[in-house]
Amino acid sequence: DGIFAVTSTFSVPTKLELQISPTDFSGVTDLTIDAAGTLNLEENATSTSAWSLNTLTVNGFLTHKSNSSTVLHAINISANTITVGSGGFVSTTGKGFAGGATTSNGSGPGSGVYGNDYGGGGGYGGVGGRASDSAATGGSVYGATSTAADQSGSGGGGSYYSLGGGGGGIIHLVAAGTLTLSGIISANGGAGDAHCGAIPSGASGGGSGGGIHLEATTITGSGVLQAVGGNGGNAGVASGCGGGGGGGGKILVTADTN
């Protein structure tokens, strides 16, 4: 335990995890997340104003709180310059609309369907996959291309035994100047689970990928962008017992120079 001062130039130090609302750090203008440090944002959905900074530097881990059936949490930040270093991660994997509870559909507009002990995959940018049982269908595509960052991925359907994977969350980063990406920005769907060989057998669906929107005057770097759907439970095993895979999410990048 300890006490630290929040000043205009603030670093989240190594091996420390902070969970904050941007209003808690309203006086911060230059924010750095050091290697192995974690900043977990809450109540920063894209329906509210972006957290405005001068500089954002991510050498550690930036994420947001997990959502449920309602999206309250997102990464929604604007700054003059944004840098994701080679060891930096900005990730909302599995933190969008929640996966379905046992014997329940997933959450979100493209929710995976529960049917006969199995769960279908969540949909968003792509349709979710069907599970081994045809009653457990995948979720549908939704949202306009221009609003890629404004919606989370949907959850996979639950199974008789297990929860569905959560959809990927929202990442919206706006740089008035340069956005440098040398690390990883990901909004992947969470994986489903499986209990094959049990009576009854069952496998849950993966969540769909979430939404990533990057805006800048200049985007540079050779980092990674991902909004991949999560695997269904027992994926890759030819056993007739598998949950549906999540559909892909959406990525929108707008820049004058890249």
Side-chain angles (χ1 to χ4, degrees), residues 125-233:
V127 176
R130 194 199 76 185
S132 294
D133 191 287
S134 60
T137 56
S140 59
V141 172
Y142 58 94
T145 301
S146 60
T147 57
D150 296 335
Q151 291 175 284
S152 291
S154 291
S159 73
Y160 185 83
Y161 298 98
S162 56
L163 307 179
I170 296 171
I171 299 171
H172 192 182
L173 299 176
V174 180
T178 300
L179 189 156
T180 301
L181 175 58
S182 301
I184 296 174
I185 296 178
S186 64
N188 299 330
D193 197 5
H195 291 77
C196 299
I199 301 176
S201 293
S204 58
S208 65
I212 298 174
H213 191 176
L214 306 182
E215 301 178 68
T217 300
T218 300
I219 296 180
T220 187
S222 56
V224 175
L225 290 174
Q226 296 178 328
V228 179
N231 287 334

Side-chain angles (χ1 to χ4, degrees), residues 12-60:
V12 179
T14 298
K15 297 183 179 180
L16 179 66
E17 178 175 352
L18 291 179
Q19 180 173 295
I20 66 157
S21 167
T23 56
D24 299 329
F25 275 33
S26 58
V28 174
T29 57
D30 297 277
L31 175 65
T32 299
I33 304 171
D34 291 338
T38 299
L39 186 63
N40 190 359
L41 297 178
E42 60 180 359
E43 300 172 2
N44 191 32
T46 54
S47 59
T48 61
S49 298
W51 186 13
S52 180
L53 299 169
N54 178 44
T55 63
L56 170 66
T57 304
V58 181
N59 294 315

Side-chain angles (χ1 to χ4, degrees), residues 6 26 32 62 68 89 91 97-98 107 117 120 125 130 133 137 175 194 227 232 255:
V6 177
S26 58
T32 299
L62 174 62
S68 58
F89 293 87
S91 176
F97 284 108
S107 299
D117 307 324
R130 194 199 76 185
D133 191 287
T137 56

